[in-house]
Amino acid sequence: MEKIVIATKNEGKVGEMREALSHLPVEVVSLRAFGDLPDAVEDGKTFLENAKAKAAFYEKRTGCICMADDSGLEVEALGGAPGGLSARIVPGPDQARNDWLLSRLEGRLDRRARFVAALALAIPDRWTLISEGECLGRIATAPEGKGGFGYDPLFLPDGMSASFAAIPPRMKNAISHRAAALRNLLEIL
């Protein structure tokens, strides 16, 4: 069975990928399986540049097929922010970033947003495959649900009245930005 390393220490992302790849004969593992690896530098100008850099960085250090993503939330009324800074716009837990976002959107009617994901799959001694996906939606006025991670309690996908954090994980995994990018990547494979 082939091993695919998901280049993150975020167990929420690893769980999503494990579920999404469960129909394939692969073992999905996180970076935690390799001990204390250094963090990859994420200084690209785009989600795709960061995903490619992370995939190559960890493929070299693990010797395994490595899948990396870079993803984030882009809010129309904030000019695309937090964008590439989604995970680090405010230090601390997810709740701090959610509070930041709600404070920036207070009183605004335009709450359109999109989650964007870029995936890169680095295969040792071969090539790197890339893919992108998005999920359109809007930002709620208050957090909703107990599931998911990051901005999930605030993101209402188009056509739904419940947040990513309030819908079943399988439903989220079927419609999310990461799922769209993964579908595109599997088509390439």
Side-chain angles (χ1 to χ4, degrees):
M1 180 178 293
E2 197 72 51
K3 183 182 292 188
I4 295 181
V5 177
I6 306 301
T8 185
K9 295 174 185 168
N10 179 325
E11 291 303 317
K13 284 185 183 182
V14 173
E16 282 185 11
M17 291 300 199
R18 187 173 285 123
E19 172 69 26
L21 297 171
S22 64
H23 66 288
L24 299 174
V26 296
E27 177 188 2
V28 176
V29 299
S30 77
L31 289 177
R32 294 179 192 273
F34 295 89
D36 192 25
L37 292 173
D39 291 334
V41 175
E42 296 183 55
D43 59 0
K45 290 182 173 44
T46 66
F47 294 123
L48 191 54
E49 287 175 3
N50 284 334
K52 286 168 50 177
K54 284 193 288 190
F57 181 85
Y58 289 116
E59 177 266 319
K60 284 181 178 60
R61 280 151 183 82
T62 65
C64 297
I65 296 172
C66 186
M67 183 182 297
D69 91 301
D70 194 35
S71 56
L73 181 68
E74 296 178 343
V75 180
E76 186 72 25
L78 302 180
L85 298 175
S86 291
R88 54 191 182 278
I89 191 101
V90 173
D94 291 342
Q95 183 62 47
R97 286 178 288 285
N98 287 330
D99 291 344
W100 173 89
L101 180 57
L102 287 174
S103 73
R104 297 300 180 278
L105 291 176
E106 191 171 330
R108 294 187 187 231
L109 297 177
D110 183 2
R111 300 178 83 83
R112 291 176 294 156
R114 72 181 190 142
F115 265 125
V116 178
L119 287 179
L121 183 71
I123 302 169
D125 302 320
R126 292 198 186 126
W127 55 79
T128 298
L129 302 174
I130 57 172
S131 176
E132 295 179 282
E134 70 176 10
C135 183
L136 302 176
R138 63 196 182 289
I139 302 301
T141 56
E144 172 189 79
K146 301 288 184 198
F149 57 92
Y151 298 98
D152 286 356
L154 297 178
F155 187 76
L156 306 167
D158 279 354
M160 300 186 80
S161 59
S163 75
F164 266 174
I167 63 176
R170 283 193 178 208
M171 183 181 291
K172 177 194 172 194
N173 292 343
I175 65 172
S176 77
H177 52 303
R178 203 167 288 109
L182 186 57
R183 277 191 302 275
N184 294 338
L185 188 67
L186 291 175
E187 283 180 25
I188 294 168
L189 282 174

